[in-house]
Amino acid sequence: MDSKQSSERRPSRLAKSAWAPVGGAAFLISSLGLPACGSGNQGGAQAGGSAAVGGAGTGGSGTRPKSTGTGGTPNFVPGASGGQGTGGATQQASSTQPEVCGDGVKKNPSTEACDDGNTVSGDGCSADCTAIEQNYACPTPGAPCVLTVVCGDKKISGAETCDDGNTVSGDGCSNQCQLEDGWACPIVAVRCVAAQCGDGLVRGTENCDDGNGASGDGCSSTCTVENPAPTERDAWMCPTPGQPCVRTTCGNSVVEGTEQCDDGNNDTGDGCSPACRKEPRCPAAGGACTSVCGDGLILASDTDQECDDDNSANGDGCSADCKVEHGYACSPAPVVPSGTLVLPVVYRDFKGVASPTAADVTNGNHPDFEHTHPNASYYETGIVLPNLGLDGKPVHSAQDMVTTTNNDTATTPDWFSLWYRDAFQDLPTAGSPRYNYTFVNTLALTETAAGSGMFRYSSTSFFPLDGLGWGNTTGQQHNFHFTSELRYWFQYSGGEQLAFSGDDDVFVFVNKLLAVDLGGIHSSLDGSVTLDASNGTGAICENAAVGCTNGRNVDFGLVPGSVYEMVVFQAERHTTQSNYTLTVSSFKANRSTCHSVCGDGFVTPDEACDLGTAGNTGAYGTCNHDCTLPPSCGDQLTQSPPEQCDDGVNLATYGYNGASVCGPNCQWAPRCGDNNIDSLFGEQCDDGNRIAKDGCEPNCMLGDSCGNGKLDPGEECDDHNIVSGDGCSEFCKREVNIQ
């Protein structure tokens, strides 16, 4: 082998060196690229070898030469005894051993970067001891190298695709620091978030994901389960991620989805409305009501509620149990409707006939509807008692009234009790047929002028049940026989006013006490109640316009700041006409309004990031002051520096087949040919190119056995190529999940 051949060899690409023993001295052969030709000993020499006592080798070294070799310029250095080398360098025989890769001793950092006591690649120290492999540290010669990839250290390295500072799975970054499905970890060492609302996966702060990003279908655009609109009875539930949300069935006695309650009845004022909303609890005999979690009222006395936003949904700042959620702030604010005020109302449909016979009654005709009376219009007060019953319903007086049937005889059933109760059967007496059908609905009042706080519903053709229940009244184009019940809660602050105009019967109760009495079968009449500014009384006008001077005062016992109920009971009992006008003003209540807190370090559904006030600087890789993302890895815009690439995903850990792919932190992922030995992925060497037969093969392996179609030692497979992605990798390792 000539000197040119020796100088062209690249030691860093070869297998670990071997030392050849020569007469008690050792000489590094393979690391110099020279063949081990032999050795000289006493009395003889071999060309290209080394000399000890009594012999010489041509091109070797020695002392006191007795014979001379040819082929180079002599260079004599005193040796142990007996020989000389000609044409090569001389080496002094001594007790000091040269650097040997694999002996566990690192004497000269310029020739050995590490020495872990073996000649194996892939353990942190390269096969020839010239390089510390990527993601390793080799602090102690002779000891195994140490992997520097540590999941949970808030750094992304090696095969990691994320690192949120812990080793807990299920939070977006697994216990092996691999990004979990449906998550995104846009900022290293910070809590991961849902990758995208609408991907069909419920992650992070999401509590639903129906596979789209639209609101109005049960799962909002921020992936929270939606509450029913004020005009809707049934709520939403989203039981299966990736599938459409479905409506609940309010009234089936089962609390589902975003229903607040479900007591299975159509009664208002019992704590759970027919629309499955929670109601304040009011004493049966009257007095201030107590707000409950979810009723939309928040009072100073509510020590068990931190907030109340009028729903039972989580993820909107106020939890289902009325606690302020992490990342939010909630404060009470007056509920001031704007434009429209929607109130719940319960209708009950009846079938009536003039002068009903026993057979008519048996067939479901109610004798109070189309009741015979002496005049075309008969305004009759005193039909109901001045106090509501313990069940919150009006109670008929003990007297025989002209326009009702109760007390006509000593044995007449309590027909009035059916006006505002469901009468499917067995009411008013056992064995009774069905007398009414119930419908839960809403009544929308429109603001009379922008910002006035006065809302009105008015109709001179009030027929909400046309074609429903028993159907339209016989011989008429409308359904004339029905009742309505409208219940509303307010926080008394003074000046509240309710005015009603209509027919037939109208009974208004405030704090369980009768305020307006417009009973009887009559044409449209006016009535109103105006509450005093502070003393808890009300000015009543009956069969007179608002502000009448001949009205009366009623002490309702109201205390400013407390919550009370107001109920309007109405009945349409005659086929002449149907008018209904309801006006309310200044009825207010406090309700919690919640908003996310940017700068508290917690990411809410409406925030993209939050590193705290100090961390929200807007610098690259941080968070803006308004909790939106500044230029960052993942925005598909390469910010150079510090980014090398940005494909929007940036999760590649290795560029198989030498491909340039973008990895975490928007840096090029390791690949064969990048001049770094990435043993974690199977490389044994890397000389910065993918050229064959130069000491490091195109697949960054030391030998060329991988790809020869034979299963050689250390190989798991060999498909006759060095291409990854076909089931057998370029490193002859089995691949999984090959499509």
Side-chain angles (χ1 to χ4, degrees), residues 348-377:
R348 290 177 173 88
D349 185 38
F350 293 87
K351 182 167 58 172
V353 61
S355 302
T357 65
D360 291 329
V361 174
T362 302
N363 290 329
N365 286 274
H366 194 293
D368 285 343
F369 293 81
E370 287 303 317
H371 189 278
T372 302
H373 58 90
N375 301 311
S377 179

PDB file of all heavy atoms in Angstrom, residues 348-377:
ATOM      1  N   ARG A 348    -103.092  25.731  28.242  1.00  0.00           N
ATOM      2  CA  ARG A 348    -103.883  24.506  28.390  1.00  0.00           C
ATOM      3  C   ARG A 348    -105.159  24.661  27.560  1.00  0.00           C
ATOM      4  O   ARG A 348    -105.880  25.652  27.702  1.00  0.00           O
ATOM      5  CB  ARG A 348    -104.191  24.236  29.856  1.00  0.00           C
ATOM      6  CG  ARG A 348    -102.947  23.813  30.658  1.00  0.00           C
ATOM      7  CD  ARG A 348    -103.238  23.612  32.130  1.00  0.00           C
ATOM      8  NE  ARG A 348    -102.077  23.064  32.816  1.00  0.00           N
ATOM      9  CZ  ARG A 348    -101.100  23.799  33.352  1.00  0.00           C
ATOM     10  NH1 ARG A 348    -101.163  25.125  33.267  1.00  0.00           N
ATOM     11  NH2 ARG A 348    -100.084  23.227  33.949  1.00  0.00           N
ATOM     12  N   ASP A 349    -105.399  23.700  26.699  1.00  0.00           N
ATOM     13  CA  ASP A 349    -106.528  23.757  25.770  1.00  0.00           C
ATOM     14  C   ASP A 349    -107.721  22.984  26.331  1.00  0.00           C
ATOM     15  O   ASP A 349    -107.577  21.867  26.843  1.00  0.00           O
ATOM     16  CB  ASP A 349    -106.102  23.163  24.427  1.00  0.00           C
ATOM     17  CG  ASP A 349    -107.190  23.300  23.390  1.00  0.00           C
ATOM     18  OD1 ASP A 349    -107.860  24.347  23.377  1.00  0.00           O
ATOM     19  OD2 ASP A 349    -107.384  22.343  22.605  1.00  0.00           O
ATOM     20  N   PHE A 350    -108.917  23.593  26.193  1.00  0.00           N
ATOM     21  CA  PHE A 350    -110.152  22.980  26.686  1.00  0.00           C
ATOM     22  C   PHE A 350    -111.181  22.887  25.562  1.00  0.00           C
ATOM     23  O   PHE A 350    -111.099  23.609  24.552  1.00  0.00           O
ATOM     24  CB  PHE A 350    -110.731  23.800  27.846  1.00  0.00           C
ATOM     25  CG  PHE A 350    -109.878  23.771  29.092  1.00  0.00           C
ATOM     26  CD1 PHE A 350    -108.837  24.677  29.262  1.00  0.00           C
ATOM     27  CD2 PHE A 350    -110.110  22.836  30.086  1.00  0.00           C
ATOM     28  CE1 PHE A 350    -108.050  24.652  30.402  1.00  0.00           C
ATOM     29  CE2 PHE A 350    -109.329  22.805  31.236  1.00  0.00           C
ATOM     30  CZ  PHE A 350    -108.293  23.712  31.391  1.00  0.00           C
ATOM     31  N   LYS A 351    -112.155  22.026  25.789  1.00  0.00           N
ATOM     32  CA  LYS A 351    -113.276  21.877  24.871  1.00  0.00           C
ATOM     33  C   LYS A 351    -114.531  22.363  25.593  1.00  0.00           C
ATOM     34  O   LYS A 351    -114.837  21.899  26.700  1.00  0.00           O
ATOM     35  CB  LYS A 351    -113.423  20.413  24.455  1.00  0.00           C
ATOM     36  CG  LYS A 351    -114.530  20.161  23.454  1.00  0.00           C
ATOM     37  CD  LYS A 351    -114.436  18.762  22.846  1.00  0.00           C
ATOM     38  CE  LYS A 351    -114.481  17.665  23.884  1.00  0.00           C
ATOM     39  NZ  LYS A 351    -114.590  16.315  23.258  1.00  0.00           N
ATOM     40  N   GLY A 352    -115.227  23.331  25.026  1.00  0.00           N
ATOM     41  CA  GLY A 352    -116.382  23.902  25.691  1.00  0.00           C
ATOM     42  C   GLY A 352    -117.643  23.826  24.853  1.00  0.00           C
ATOM     43  O   GLY A 352    -117.586  23.757  23.619  1.00  0.00           O
ATOM     44  N   VAL A 353    -118.766  23.864  25.538  1.00  0.00           N
ATOM     45  CA  VAL A 353    -120.055  23.857  24.860  1.00  0.00           C
ATOM     46  C   VAL A 353    -121.058  24.563  25.759  1.00  0.00           C
ATOM     47  O   VAL A 353    -121.003  24.451  26.981  1.00  0.00           O
ATOM     48  CB  VAL A 353    -120.520  22.413  24.551  1.00  0.00           C
ATOM     49  CG1 VAL A 353    -120.700  21.599  25.827  1.00  0.00           C
ATOM     50  CG2 VAL A 353    -121.808  22.418  23.733  1.00  0.00           C
ATOM     51  N   ALA A 354    -121.941  25.330  25.137  1.00  0.00           N
ATOM     52  CA  ALA A 354    -122.953  26.044  25.914  1.00  0.00           C
ATOM     53  C   ALA A 354    -123.929  25.056  26.530  1.00  0.00           C
ATOM     54  O   ALA A 354    -124.381  24.106  25.864  1.00  0.00           O
ATOM     55  CB  ALA A 354    -123.691  27.039  25.029  1.00  0.00           C
ATOM     56  N   SER A 355    -124.269  25.288  27.796  1.00  0.00           N
ATOM     57  CA  SER A 355    -125.225  24.446  28.534  1.00  0.00           C
ATOM     58  C   SER A 355    -124.929  22.969  28.350  1.00  0.00           C
ATOM     59  O   SER A 355    -125.716  22.209  27.763  1.00  0.00           O
ATOM     60  CB  SER A 355    -126.663  24.752  28.085  1.00  0.00           C
ATOM     61  OG  SER A 355    -126.978  26.104  28.272  1.00  0.00           O
ATOM     62  N   PRO A 356    -123.721  22.533  28.775  1.00  0.00           N
ATOM     63  CA  PRO A 356    -123.339  21.139  28.544  1.00  0.00           C
ATOM     64  C   PRO A 356    -124.245  20.156  29.270  1.00  0.00           C
ATOM     65  O   PRO A 356    -124.707  20.398  30.379  1.00  0.00           O
ATOM     66  CB  PRO A 356    -121.918  21.088  29.106  1.00  0.00           C
ATOM     67  CG  PRO A 356    -121.884  22.146  30.150  1.00  0.00           C
ATOM     68  CD  PRO A 356    -122.734  23.256  29.611  1.00  0.00           C
ATOM     69  N   THR A 357    -124.523  19.066  28.600  1.00  0.00           N
ATOM     70  CA  THR A 357    -125.271  17.978  29.211  1.00  0.00           C
ATOM     71  C   THR A 357    -124.292  17.051  29.926  1.00  0.00           C
ATOM     72  O   THR A 357    -123.065  17.186  29.817  1.00  0.00           O
ATOM     73  CB  THR A 357    -126.030  17.191  28.145  1.00  0.00           C
ATOM     74  OG1 THR A 357    -125.070  16.547  27.272  1.00  0.00           O
ATOM     75  CG2 THR A 357    -126.917  18.110  27.322  1.00  0.00           C
ATOM     76  N   ALA A 358    -124.843  16.108  30.640  1.00  0.00           N
ATOM     77  CA  ALA A 358    -123.997  15.119  31.308  1.00  0.00           C
ATOM     78  C   ALA A 358    -123.156  14.363  30.295  1.00  0.00           C
ATOM     79  O   ALA A 358    -121.991  14.032  30.540  1.00  0.00           O
ATOM     80  CB  ALA A 358    -124.869  14.170  32.124  1.00  0.00           C
ATOM     81  N   ALA A 359    -123.745  14.111  29.150  1.00  0.00           N
ATOM     82  CA  ALA A 359    -123.000  13.405  28.101  1.00  0.00           C
ATOM     83  C   ALA A 359    -121.845  14.249  27.584  1.00  0.00           C
ATOM     84  O   ALA A 359    -120.754  13.745  27.301  1.00  0.00           O
ATOM     85  CB  ALA A 359    -123.939  13.031  26.962  1.00  0.00           C
ATOM     86  N   ASP A 360    -122.072  15.565  27.437  1.00  0.00           N
ATOM     87  CA  ASP A 360    -121.001  16.460  26.990  1.00  0.00           C
ATOM     88  C   ASP A 360    -119.834  16.426  27.962  1.00  0.00           C
ATOM     89  O   ASP A 360    -118.662  16.356  27.556  1.00  0.00           O
ATOM     90  CB  ASP A 360    -121.522  17.885  26.858  1.00  0.00           C
ATOM     91  CG  ASP A 360    -122.513  18.049  25.710  1.00  0.00           C
ATOM     92  OD1 ASP A 360    -122.366  17.318  24.704  1.00  0.00           O
ATOM     93  OD2 ASP A 360    -123.419  18.888  25.825  1.00  0.00           O
ATOM     94  N   VAL A 361    -120.145  16.486  29.229  1.00  0.00           N
ATOM     95  CA  VAL A 361    -119.092  16.481  30.245  1.00  0.00           C
ATOM     96  C   VAL A 361    -118.331  15.170  30.212  1.00  0.00           C
ATOM     97  O   VAL A 361    -117.101  15.123  30.337  1.00  0.00           O
ATOM     98  CB  VAL A 361    -119.697  16.730  31.645  1.00  0.00           C
ATOM     99  CG1 VAL A 361    -118.637  16.573  32.719  1.00  0.00           C
ATOM    100  CG2 VAL A 361    -120.326  18.102  31.706  1.00  0.00           C
ATOM    101  N   THR A 362    -119.040  14.105  30.030  1.00  0.00           N
ATOM    102  CA  THR A 362    -118.396  12.797  29.950  1.00  0.00           C
ATOM    103  C   THR A 362    -117.469  12.719  28.746  1.00  0.00           C
ATOM    104  O   THR A 362    -116.442  12.034  28.779  1.00  0.00           O
ATOM    105  CB  THR A 362    -119.455  11.683  29.850  1.00  0.00           C
ATOM    106  OG1 THR A 362    -120.314  11.759  30.992  1.00  0.00           O
ATOM    107  CG2 THR A 362    -118.808  10.312  29.786  1.00  0.00           C
ATOM    108  N   ASN A 363    -117.782  13.457  27.723  1.00  0.00           N
ATOM    109  CA  ASN A 363    -116.966  13.456  26.507  1.00  0.00           C
ATOM    110  C   ASN A 363    -115.821  14.464  26.563  1.00  0.00           C
ATOM    111  O   ASN A 363    -115.170  14.706  25.562  1.00  0.00           O
ATOM    112  CB  ASN A 363    -117.837  13.746  25.287  1.00  0.00           C
ATOM    113  CG  ASN A 363    -118.761  12.591  24.971  1.00  0.00           C
ATOM    114  OD1 ASN A 363    -118.424  11.429  25.219  1.00  0.00           O
ATOM    115  ND2 ASN A 363    -119.941  12.900  24.419  1.00  0.00           N
ATOM    116  N   GLY A 364    -115.557  15.077  27.722  1.00  0.00           N
ATOM    117  CA  GLY A 364    -114.414  15.972  27.881  1.00  0.00           C
ATOM    118  C   GLY A 364    -114.730  17.440  27.764  1.00  0.00           C
ATOM    119  O   GLY A 364    -113.826  18.278  27.783  1.00  0.00           O
ATOM    120  N   ASN A 365    -116.010  17.829  27.651  1.00  0.00           N
ATOM    121  CA  ASN A 365    -116.359  19.245  27.610  1.00  0.00           C
ATOM    122  C   ASN A 365    -116.294  19.828  29.017  1.00  0.00           C
ATOM    123  O   ASN A 365    -116.855  19.260  29.963  1.00  0.00           O
ATOM    124  CB  ASN A 365    -117.775  19.419  27.058  1.00  0.00           C
ATOM    125  CG  ASN A 365    -117.830  19.175  25.563  1.00  0.00           C
ATOM    126  OD1 ASN A 365    -117.587  20.060  24.764  1.00  0.00           O
ATOM    127  ND2 ASN A 365    -118.166  17.934  25.198  1.00  0.00           N
ATOM    128  N   HIS A 366    -115.604  20.957  29.146  1.00  0.00           N
ATOM    129  CA  HIS A 366    -115.484  21.619  30.443  1.00  0.00           C
ATOM    130  C   HIS A 366    -116.610  22.651  30.574  1.00  0.00           C
ATOM    131  O   HIS A 366    -116.744  23.539  29.723  1.00  0.00           O
ATOM    132  CB  HIS A 366    -114.120  22.297  30.571  1.00  0.00           C
ATOM    133  CG  HIS A 366    -113.774  22.720  31.961  1.00  0.00           C
ATOM    134  ND1 HIS A 366    -114.465  23.713  32.624  1.00  0.00           N
ATOM    135  CD2 HIS A 366    -112.817  22.277  32.826  1.00  0.00           C
ATOM    136  CE1 HIS A 366    -113.938  23.882  33.820  1.00  0.00           C
ATOM    137  NE2 HIS A 366    -112.935  23.012  33.974  1.00  0.00           N
ATOM    138  N   PRO A 367    -117.373  22.581  31.646  1.00  0.00           N
ATOM    139  CA  PRO A 367    -118.568  23.443  31.750  1.00  0.00           C
ATOM    140  C   PRO A 367    -118.273  24.919  31.939  1.00  0.00           C
ATOM    141  O   PRO A 367    -119.178  25.750  31.761  1.00  0.00           O
ATOM    142  CB  PRO A 367    -119.302  22.867  32.970  1.00  0.00           C
ATOM    143  CG  PRO A 367    -118.246  22.177  33.758  1.00  0.00           C
ATOM    144  CD  PRO A 367    -117.274  21.633  32.773  1.00  0.00           C
ATOM    145  N   ASP A 368    -117.030  25.311  32.288  1.00  0.00           N
ATOM    146  CA  ASP A 368    -116.720  26.735  32.459  1.00  0.00           C
ATOM    147  C   ASP A 368    -116.438  27.439  31.131  1.00  0.00           C
ATOM    148  O   ASP A 368    -116.353  28.674  31.087  1.00  0.00           O
ATOM    149  CB  ASP A 368    -115.513  26.905  33.384  1.00  0.00           C
ATOM    150  CG  ASP A 368    -115.860  26.659  34.846  1.00  0.00           C
ATOM    151  OD1 ASP A 368    -117.061  26.672  35.176  1.00  0.00           O
ATOM    152  OD2 ASP A 368    -114.932  26.440  35.645  1.00  0.00           O
ATOM    153  N   PHE A 369    -116.247  26.673  30.065  1.00  0.00           N
ATOM    154  CA  PHE A 369    -115.930  27.274  28.772  1.00  0.00           C
ATOM    155  C   PHE A 369    -117.200  27.277  27.925  1.00  0.00           C
ATOM    156  O   PHE A 369    -117.855  26.251  27.763  1.00  0.00           O
ATOM    157  CB  PHE A 369    -114.780  26.515  28.108  1.00  0.00           C
ATOM    158  CG  PHE A 369    -113.483  26.678  28.861  1.00  0.00           C
ATOM    159  CD1 PHE A 369    -113.213  25.906  29.987  1.00  0.00           C
ATOM    160  CD2 PHE A 369    -112.573  27.646  28.476  1.00  0.00           C
ATOM    161  CE1 PHE A 369    -112.040  26.081  30.698  1.00  0.00           C
ATOM    162  CE2 PHE A 369    -111.393  27.828  29.191  1.00  0.00           C
ATOM    163  CZ  PHE A 369    -111.126  27.044  30.314  1.00  0.00           C
ATOM    164  N   GLU A 370    -117.533  28.463  27.423  1.00  0.00           N
ATOM    165  CA  GLU A 370    -118.837  28.761  26.822  1.00  0.00           C
ATOM    166  C   GLU A 370    -119.938  28.680  27.890  1.00  0.00           C
ATOM    167  O   GLU A 370    -121.078  28.300  27.611  1.00  0.00           O
ATOM    168  CB  GLU A 370    -119.152  27.824  25.658  1.00  0.00           C
ATOM    169  CG  GLU A 370    -118.360  28.102  24.407  1.00  0.00           C
ATOM    170  CD  GLU A 370    -118.520  29.535  23.889  1.00  0.00           C
ATOM    171  OE1 GLU A 370    -119.660  30.055  23.873  1.00  0.00           O
ATOM    172  OE2 GLU A 370    -117.492  30.145  23.520  1.00  0.00           O
ATOM    173  N   HIS A 371    -119.547  29.070  29.100  1.00  0.00           N
ATOM    174  CA  HIS A 371    -120.494  29.057  30.219  1.00  0.00           C
ATOM    175  C   HIS A 371    -121.612  30.068  29.959  1.00  0.00           C
ATOM    176  O   HIS A 371    -121.373  31.198  29.530  1.00  0.00           O
ATOM    177  CB  HIS A 371    -119.771  29.397  31.517  1.00  0.00           C
ATOM    178  CG  HIS A 371    -120.589  29.200  32.748  1.00  0.00           C
ATOM    179  ND1 HIS A 371    -121.490  30.140  33.201  1.00  0.00           N
ATOM    180  CD2 HIS A 371    -120.650  28.166  33.629  1.00  0.00           C
ATOM    181  CE1 HIS A 371    -122.053  29.700  34.303  1.00  0.00           C
ATOM    182  NE2 HIS A 371    -121.558  28.509  34.599  1.00  0.00           N
ATOM    183  N   THR A 372    -122.847  29.648  30.249  1.00  0.00           N
ATOM    184  CA  THR A 372    -123.998  30.529  30.049  1.00  0.00           C
ATOM    185  C   THR A 372    -124.034  31.583  31.155  1.00  0.00           C
ATOM    186  O   THR A 372    -123.878  31.266  32.342  1.00  0.00           O
ATOM    187  CB  THR A 372    -125.303  29.726  30.076  1.00  0.00           C
ATOM    188  OG1 THR A 372    -125.241  28.717  29.053  1.00  0.00           O
ATOM    189  CG2 THR A 372    -126.502  30.628  29.827  1.00  0.00           C
ATOM    190  N   HIS A 373    -124.204  32.861  30.745  1.00  0.00           N
ATOM    191  CA  HIS A 373    -124.290  33.952  31.716  1.00  0.00           C
ATOM    192  C   HIS A 373    -125.309  34.964  31.203  1.00  0.00           C
ATOM    193  O   HIS A 373    -125.657  34.980  30.008  1.00  0.00           O
ATOM    194  CB  HIS A 373    -122.923  34.595  31.956  1.00  0.00           C
ATOM    195  CG  HIS A 373    -122.284  35.139  30.714  1.00  0.00           C
ATOM    196  ND1 HIS A 373    -122.472  36.415  30.285  1.00  0.00           N
ATOM    197  CD2 HIS A 373    -121.474  34.536  29.797  1.00  0.00           C
ATOM    198  CE1 HIS A 373    -121.793  36.607  29.174  1.00  0.00           C
ATOM    199  NE2 HIS A 373    -121.180  35.487  28.852  1.00  0.00           N
ATOM    200  N   PRO A 374    -125.784  35.832  32.072  1.00  0.00           N
ATOM    201  CA  PRO A 374    -126.920  36.700  31.701  1.00  0.00           C
ATOM    202  C   PRO A 374    -126.611  37.780  30.696  1.00  0.00           C
ATOM    203  O   PRO A 374    -127.494  38.233  29.967  1.00  0.00           O
ATOM    204  CB  PRO A 374    -127.347  37.304  33.042  1.00  0.00           C
ATOM    205  CG  PRO A 374    -126.128  37.238  33.900  1.00  0.00           C
ATOM    206  CD  PRO A 374    -125.415  35.980  33.497  1.00  0.00           C
ATOM    207  N   ASN A 375    -125.374  38.222  30.613  1.00  0.00           N
ATOM    208  CA  ASN A 375    -125.044  39.342  29.726  1.00  0.00           C
ATOM    209  C   ASN A 375    -123.962  38.939  28.727  1.00  0.00           C
ATOM    210  O   ASN A 375    -123.195  37.993  28.950  1.00  0.00           O
ATOM    211  CB  ASN A 375    -124.569  40.551  30.537  1.00  0.00           C
ATOM    212  CG  ASN A 375    -125.612  41.033  31.528  1.00  0.00           C
ATOM    213  OD1 ASN A 375    -126.777  41.218  31.182  1.00  0.00           O
ATOM    214  ND2 ASN A 375    -125.199  41.231  32.771  1.00  0.00           N
ATOM    215  N   ALA A 376    -123.892  39.684  27.644  1.00  0.00           N
ATOM    216  CA  ALA A 376    -122.867  39.414  26.639  1.00  0.00           C
ATOM    217  C   ALA A 376    -121.471  39.623  27.221  1.00  0.00           C
ATOM    218  O   ALA A 376    -120.515  38.948  26.837  1.00  0.00           O
ATOM    219  CB  ALA A 376    -123.078  40.295  25.429  1.00  0.00           C
ATOM    220  N   SER A 377    -121.315  40.586  28.116  1.00  0.00           N
ATOM    221  CA  SER A 377    -120.044  40.841  28.772  1.00  0.00           C
ATOM    222  C   SER A 377    -120.308  40.966  30.267  1.00  0.00           C
ATOM    223  O   SER A 377    -121.121  41.799  30.691  1.00  0.00           O
ATOM    224  CB  SER A 377    -119.421  42.132  28.220  1.00  0.00           C
ATOM    225  OG  SER A 377    -118.202  42.406  28.870  1.00  0.00           O
TER     226      SER A 377
END
